[in-house]
Amino acid sequence: MKRRAKRTTPAPKKGRLKVSPPSPSYERIRQVVLKIPRGRVMTYGDVAQAAGMPGAARQVGYAMHSLGKRVPWQRVLGRKNPRSGHSTINDPQARARQQQLLESEGVRFSASGSVDLTAFGWVPRAKRKK
DNA sequence: CATATGACGTCCT
DNA sequence: GAGGACGCCATAT
């Protein structure tokens, strides 16, 4: 297998005039997150893979931070804990609010506060459990 | 060009 | 099953 072949900076082709893009990866990640249907949640790792950066789950969150609130990061959760949003960690209230929001969409939370990714874990149509 | 940071993942306890 | 520590990768400085 190839195993990470120069995945560092895909080099944004400078066709004629670069508009200083925030990075093609960011745009890609945003599209992936926006593709998550309502009532469904996705993990950073899966988003990273869908964005073309397997293993770079951290960067996914980092990219989202730059994107701001223009992305429904509320549907993007961690694999173990629904600790989405670095602000959410500092503000437990915001975390509870997000949980309520997801529940409003139909997502069920475990007694411990974790989401059942086995049932609500969204996967790109490449694997679509259906 | 090199170093540090970071909205996570996986393994171990 | 949940929590803690280390590691991986891309972006920012």
Side-chain angles (χ1 to χ4, degrees), chain A residues 6-13 23-25 53:
Chain A
K6 169 198 203 209
R7 204 153 259 117
T8 32
T9 349
K13 325 178 95 150
S23 247
S25 307
M53 302 187 279

Side-chain angles (χ1 to χ4, degrees), chain A residues 54-77:
Chain A
R58 300 185 77 168
Q59 273 52 263
V60 176
Y62 201 58
M64 259 190 240
H65 183 129
S66 293
L67 292 171
K69 291 134 197 177
R70 6 200 291 205
V71 187
W73 49 268
Q74 53 185 94
R75 291 175 188 156
V76 185
L77 313 176

Side-chain angles (χ1 to χ4, degrees), chain A residues 4-118:
Chain A
R4 76 185 66 102
K6 169 198 203 209
R7 204 153 259 117
T8 32
T9 349
K13 325 178 95 150
K14 44 201 172 182
R16 185 168 297 230
L17 187 77
K18 210 148 55 70
V19 290
S20 43
S23 247
S25 307
Y26 278 32
E27 187 67 49
R28 193 126 202 183
I29 292 167
R30 178 169 60 158
Q31 296 303 325
V32 174
V33 177
L34 289 171
K35 271 189 285 194
I36 304 176
R38 177 172 165 281
R40 203 64 72 154
V41 294
M42 198 168 176
T43 63
Y44 288 97
D46 288 345
V47 175
Q49 189 171 348
M53 302 187 279
R58 300 185 77 168
Q59 273 52 263
V60 176
Y62 201 58
M64 259 190 240
H65 183 129
S66 293
L67 292 171
K69 291 134 197 177
R70 6 200 291 205
V71 187
W73 49 268
Q74 53 185 94
R75 291 175 188 156
V76 185
L77 313 176
R79 207 160 218 259
K80 254 188 358 190
N81 294 314
R83 49 163 81 197
S84 23
H86 118 278
S87 302
T88 333
I89 298 175
N90 289 319
D91 289 295
Q93 297 181 1
R95 189 179 68 187
R97 183 177 176 280
Q98 181 183 10
Q99 178 174 335
Q100 186 185 332
L101 202 70
L102 290 173
E103 285 183 316
S104 207
E105 295 188 348
V107 179
R108 293 263 216 133
F109 278 70
S110 298
S112 308
S114 49
V115 183
D116 189 351
L117 298 173
T118 318

